[in-house]
Amino acid sequence: MSSITGRSAVEQGPGPSGDKARGTRRLGDALFGGGAGLAGVVVIAIVVFTGVFLALSAVPSVLDDKVNFLTSTEWSANPGDLRFGILQILWTTVSISLIAMVIAVPLGIGNALFLTQYAPKWLARPAASVIDLLAAIPSIVYGLWGIQVFAPHLTGLQTWLNDVLGWFPLFGGPVSTGTVFIAGVVLAVMVLPIITAMSREVFAQTPAAHKEGALALGATKWEMIRTSVLPFGRAGVISAAMLGLGRALGETIAITIIVSSVAPGASFFASWLQGGETFASKIANNAAEFNNPESTGAYIAAGLVLFVLTFLVNAIARVIINRRKAFA
């Protein structure tokens, strides 16, 4: 009791010692607040400077482009005769990421629900650790595994999709070796630990009172999850999915190894059973052409589109989360 009284006298009571303690706390608060604000400003400045650099480097080449940058499928970055467009690259990038998210998001949510709501503790902890270890595997290992081990096992499925659904543009055309479809499935495995880990942490924080209240009202296990756990973790799941999507959009090495390149000047095709190049793999495959500002600017323009695409994805996710919070 005396110690509590003593602290109260120092914290609240008048006198030199109390003033000194309050001054120390105020200085600490000011230093911490200033450091946190500086960190935020630095992050924003890095993003802004990156966008400015990409724009300044890309605009001259885009202005000298002899074809439409957004709708052309040509890509020739020869100095003095720039003819490059991103239509095919954009389609391949979005397609691979879409396939990955369609597979990874349901699996990630299912894994997270199992580990937090169904699995016993002796199983949940080691299973979560094993899933988290998938994130530590280098991209080049995923790429080699995908093209050498996994791809041959998907040949039959791709052939069947082509035979049965070949009339649909996404599954038409001849089936190539390293396809968009294979890359999307491998990429789903790569982003799965991100989505699972974030969703698991959010679901585990669901208030016990919410779950116990639903069960007390006669809800089944699934009804309790549907009415208590999923609504509570919706914003976190969306954030996890968007973070995984950002990872998928920017993946380079694995996609470069898996997806076979198409012939230069090929016309646009929408099939997922053929090869292609994403923004990141296009830049990586042609790094040797960064020998003059014009050619380099063409590839930086592709990087700028990827930068803007990633920014838009995160902005849309933030809008969705805020709307759901407003209507919650």
Side-chain angles (χ1 to χ4, degrees), residues 75 86-97 179-180 183-184 187 248-257 259-262 275-286 299 302-303 306 309:
W75 192 278
I86 62 167
L87 180 61
Q88 188 65 62
I89 303 174
L90 178 62
W91 172 255
T92 304
T93 301
V94 173
S95 296
I96 291 177
S97 300
T179 64
V180 170
L187 200 55
L249 289 171
E251 175 54 39
T252 305
I253 299 299
I255 302 301
T256 302
I257 295 174
V259 183
S260 57
S261 300
V262 298
E277 287 180 303
T278 63
F279 287 109
S281 66
K282 184 72 174 179
I283 296 171
N285 281 330
N286 297 275
Y299 293 98
L306 180 59
L309 184 62

Side-chain angles (χ1 to χ4, degrees), residues 238 242 311-321:
I238 295 175
M242 293 303 104
F311 182 83
L312 289 176
V313 166
N314 285 277
I316 292 172
R318 181 54 53 191
V319 170
I320 294 174
I321 293 172

Side-chain angles (χ1 to χ4, degrees), residues 142-199:
Y142 276 114
L144 293 174
W145 169 77
I147 194 63
Q148 297 292 334
V149 179
F150 189 60
H153 294 285
L154 286 183
T155 302
L157 175 60
Q158 292 187 114
T159 303
W160 179 82
L161 289 172
N162 182 249
D163 293 339
V164 176
L165 301 174
W167 52 270
F168 192 62
L170 294 181
F171 304 104
V175 180
S176 62
T177 304
T179 64
V180 170
F181 181 75
I182 294 174
V185 177
V186 173
L187 200 55
V189 179
M190 297 178 67
V191 303
L192 179 62
I194 298 174
I195 299 174
T196 300
M198 291 188 65
S199 300

